[in-house]
Amino acid sequence: MHRVRPTSHVSLCLVASVELLAGYAGCVAPGTLLTPTERAAAAAAKPILEMDPDTNWTACFNELVELGPASVSYLARCPLMRRRAAPDDLGVALHTSLLRLLADPATAPRLSANCLETTLDLLHFDLKVRGHRLGRACLAADRPPPAWHELYPASFDHQVAAQIDVEADRQAMRRWWLAHVGQPSSLVRTRPLRPRAEHLWSLLSRRYADRWTYQPLPEPILCAGQGRGAEMLESATADYNLVRTACIWLGSSQDAAIQNRLIDLVGSPLPVVAHNSRFALKHSRDKRVRETLLEFEQRQGAGLRSPARQHKPNSVMKL
């Protein structure tokens, strides 16, 4: 029988370190050694940079804030931030946006575009160019596409989009980091995000958290004098929009009052509120709640039709 030569403890540790680094979406060059704090930063940043649709981004961001300068240094030293970016590189745009949010606002440069926003103290994806929203994103795949424009299957503001300069933003954040790397106190913002539940409930009626819809403009018909009605386009989406992040934050809360209100809202007469309440409860930390919700949805036939049609008024979920 072939025998493997015993490996020293030091070698094992080195191999484990390299394997760990290789697992973070290529964010650190192979062989690069991270401090324990930077490894924690890598773990916290990964769901945001990979646009994980089921993770609490706000909690991840707060972990990065708590880790301080190490989180900024980790992001700034990633290979994506050290090489020239394609004009439409979504990965670099995510890195620069996250780095900019963490940076001290008093010293950080202004970017041509930001794809991460904090609204009502919730972190979510919303590509904006100097404050102007590009359109409504749709993420149909398991992983984000390489180019940001692939997130917009319908029309978007091309005039605004022409101002996006991912490479210039990358260079600006790299220059900023190199200028402040020796001044830890000026590297990172200190205030974590603290959403307040009372400000979030109204979001549940704004849109479906996991559905993308688009209404094309009516086509003009000269002879009739009226526009021809266009069909509503609809698709499942995993983009981390504001309503989605509100649902995940509320659903994962350990506050019993929040959980009980979500359970009550499952029976809301408004289909969008009922659907989003169920979506939120799927992220509950209470296994009993998730199991009860699954049984409830099976009884209601949820998932077989569109969210608006599958809702039954006055449906009540009971633990």
Side-chain angles (χ1 to χ4, degrees):
M1 179 182 297
H2 176 70
R3 297 178 63 85
V4 179
R5 179 177 300 177
T7 307
S8 69
H9 175 71
V10 175
S11 298
L12 284 174
C13 291
L14 181 59
V15 171
S17 297
V18 173
E19 289 178 346
L20 177 64
L21 297 178
Y24 287 117
C27 202
V28 178
T32 302
L33 296 179
L34 296 180
T35 66
T37 307
E38 288 174 330
R39 286 200 294 271
K46 182 181 178 183
I48 301 172
L49 298 176
E50 294 187 353
M51 296 183 68
D52 187 322
D54 297 311
T55 302
N56 189 333
W57 286 17
T58 302
C60 291
F61 182 79
N62 285 344
E63 289 181 30
L64 292 170
V65 172
E66 185 178 351
L67 291 168
S71 59
V72 172
S73 295
Y74 165 75
L75 289 168
R77 293 193 296 113
C78 287
L80 278 179
M81 294 295 292
R82 298 202 303 266
R83 61 174 179 258
R84 187 173 183 83
D88 55 0
D89 194 319
L90 177 59
V92 175
L94 285 164
H95 273 76
T96 56
S97 296
L98 182 55
L99 191 55
R100 177 61 180 80
L101 278 179
L102 287 167
D104 182 351
T107 62
R110 186 177 182 180
L111 304 181
S112 70
N114 290 280
C115 54
L116 296 175
E117 290 283 328
T118 53
T119 306
L120 299 176
D121 258 13
L122 290 170
L123 180 65
H124 61 102
F125 182 91
D126 191 4
L127 180 56
K128 291 182 179 179
V129 179
R130 305 196 185 281
H132 297 282
R133 180 174 290 109
L134 211 60
R136 178 172 285 193
C138 179
L139 179 57
D142 294 335
R143 297 177 65 85
W148 60 259
H149 55 79
E150 294 182 48
L151 293 171
Y152 299 91
S155 62
F156 60 87
D157 194 326
H158 289 264
Q159 185 174 2
V160 172
Q163 302 175 47
I164 297 177
D165 193 336
V166 177
E167 171 59 14
D169 292 344
R170 182 195 70 82
Q171 292 184 20
M173 291 310 303
R174 282 285 296 178
R175 285 194 300 268
W176 169 84
W177 178 70
L178 291 172
H180 294 85
V181 67
Q183 309 166 35
S185 61
S186 66
L187 272 182
V188 66
R189 61 182 294 172
T190 56
R191 190 187 73 83
L193 299 175
R194 295 189 179 93
R196 298 177 61 180
E198 60 267 30
H199 297 159
L200 307 182
W201 295 110
S202 62
L203 294 175
L204 300 186
S205 61
R206 179 175 294 188
R207 56 164 286 181
Y208 289 101
D210 57 349
R211 304 293 296 179
W212 173 85
T213 57
Y214 175 74
Q215 179 71 58
L217 294 175
E219 296 179 8
I221 303 177
L222 298 179
C223 60
Q226 294 181 347
R228 183 168 56 199
E231 292 185 2
M232 175 77 75
L233 303 179
E234 183 179 6
S235 173
T237 182
D239 76 288
Y240 213 88
N241 56 76
L242 177 58
V243 176
R244 188 185 199 98
T245 189
C247 288
I248 292 176
W249 191 88
L250 290 169
S252 60
S253 172
Q254 293 181 299
D255 187 322
I258 293 177
Q259 179 175 271
N260 290 335
R261 183 168 180 180
L262 285 172
I263 292 173
D264 290 340
L265 288 175
V266 168
S268 170
L270 297 176
V272 63
V273 173
H275 176 84
N276 286 337
S277 299
R278 293 197 302 270
F279 180 83
L281 288 170
K282 290 177 181 178
H283 296 85
S284 172
R285 303 184 190 185
D286 189 333
K287 183 180 179 181
R288 187 169 62 104
V289 170
R290 298 195 304 271
E291 291 176 346
T292 303
L293 176 64
L294 179 60
E295 295 174 0
F296 174 82
E297 289 193 330
Q298 288 174 343
R299 291 197 303 269
Q300 297 297 315
L304 298 179
R305 297 178 293 276
S306 67
R309 295 178 180 176
Q310 71 189 16
H311 176 63
K312 297 181 180 180
N314 301 320
S315 299
V316 179
M317 172 183 163
K318 296 181 179 180
L319 288 177

